[in-house]
Amino acid sequence: AAVSTKPEGAVAHILTFGGLTDCSNGTTNGPGLEVSVDGGAWQVVSATGEPAVRYAFAAVPTPRATFGADLFLYGGSTNTEPAIASGAAFALGLGAESAKWTAATCTLPQCERGGYFAMFVDGDYLRVWGGGPYGNAPSGLKYSAGTKTWSAWELPANTPTLPQHYADDGRRIYFLSATSAACPHSVEVLIYDRATSSWQAKDSSAAPAGLLAEAPAAWVGSELIAWSGNCGAGASSVGARYQPP
């Protein structure tokens, strides 16, 4: 996973963690935390308490003023566990501060998450849902920045099985969803609204031919941009811009 963050008074940072460097065996994990400062060369950042490397996990940037950290990761898979319940928060070393990790493991029943699931910042909470095909979906979880504890979260009505790729505009989250199991497929957009904690009507507007739900997606201020991806028939060269209703 990779996230970008720009703490107040600091330059932009891109942080990456884990992943697979050999998808054929599930055992060759990517490195621990690496950081690019303002577009510069990658640096490996070692800090006490770094969690075990993993893949298929969730990671989001977090506001330091609220969470005391710049990155939060949770769940995922290892070569021995398809779904795990450990999480951690990472704070960049800024000024006189040293970089540090803080454990955020969930000990509640059915905390494990792996495969397709989502995590997002919602005020003073992190919310997690989904977890297929591994883990304990559809139970929801939430993490409190104030108490640094996990608790159950009742999912909104009609929460679907979640696709893997999405973009977040700060109020709404847009999931790219395939309309069929066949590859290539048509793409529709599932829209979750934080303000109402509910799902809006899905957007089935025609997407450009060849656009895949597996395309990585990003929110760029006023629209979503998606590009490439692979649904099993080879990598796609198609990208698209999406302006929500």
Side-chain angles (χ1 to χ4, degrees):
V3 303
S4 61
T5 183
K6 190 179 184 302
E8 186 175 353
V11 297
H13 293 64
I14 299 175
L15 298 82
T16 71
F17 185 87
L20 282 176
T21 56
D22 185 344
C23 293
S24 67
N25 60 30
T27 63
T28 312
N29 288 306
L33 193 79
E34 293 187 285
V35 178
S36 173
V37 181
D38 206 22
W42 290 100
Q43 307 168 33
V44 176
V45 177
S46 299
T48 303
E50 180 174 281
V53 290
R54 61 198 67 195
Y55 60 95
F57 60 97
V60 294
T62 49
R64 180 178 279 230
T66 304
F67 287 85
D70 305 292
L71 164 73
F72 194 100
L73 61 87
Y74 186 74
S77 304
T78 69
N79 62 317
T80 58
E81 298 175 284
I84 55 182
S86 67
F90 175 76
L92 289 160
L94 300 175
E97 299 178 4
S98 297
K100 66 177 182 179
W101 286 96
T102 303
T105 297
C106 178
T107 58
L108 299 171
Q110 298 187 326
C111 274
E112 298 85 357
R113 291 293 184 277
Y116 296 164
F117 67 106
M119 177 169 67
F120 66 94
V121 177
D122 189 10
D124 294 342
Y125 289 94
L126 282 163
R127 300 190 188 273
V128 179
W129 81 93
Y134 314 114
N136 295 289
S139 300
L141 297 169
K142 63 181 179 182
Y143 178 83
S144 167
T147 63
K148 294 180 169 51
T149 57
W150 290 94
S151 59
W153 170 44
E154 185 175 349
L155 296 176
N158 304 314
T159 294
T161 299
L162 295 173
Q164 189 169 18
H165 292 288
Y166 62 91
D168 186 341
D169 73 3
R171 170 175 171 174
R172 292 169 292 190
I173 305 175
Y174 307 94
F175 292 87
L176 303 180
S177 180
T179 57
S180 70
C183 175
H185 45 242
S186 297
V187 174
E188 60 187 8
V189 182
L190 310 179
I191 305 174
Y192 176 80
D193 190 333
R194 282 184 178 82
T196 59
S197 298
S198 64
W199 290 95
Q200 296 183 352
K202 64 184 178 181
D203 191 341
S204 299
S205 302
L211 180 68
L212 301 179
E214 289 75 13
W219 185 258
V220 295
S222 61
E223 61 186 6
L224 178 157
I225 294 181
W227 181 74
S228 194
N230 189 340
C231 62
S236 169
S237 60
V238 176
R241 298 160 60 191
Y242 170 74
Q243 295 85 30

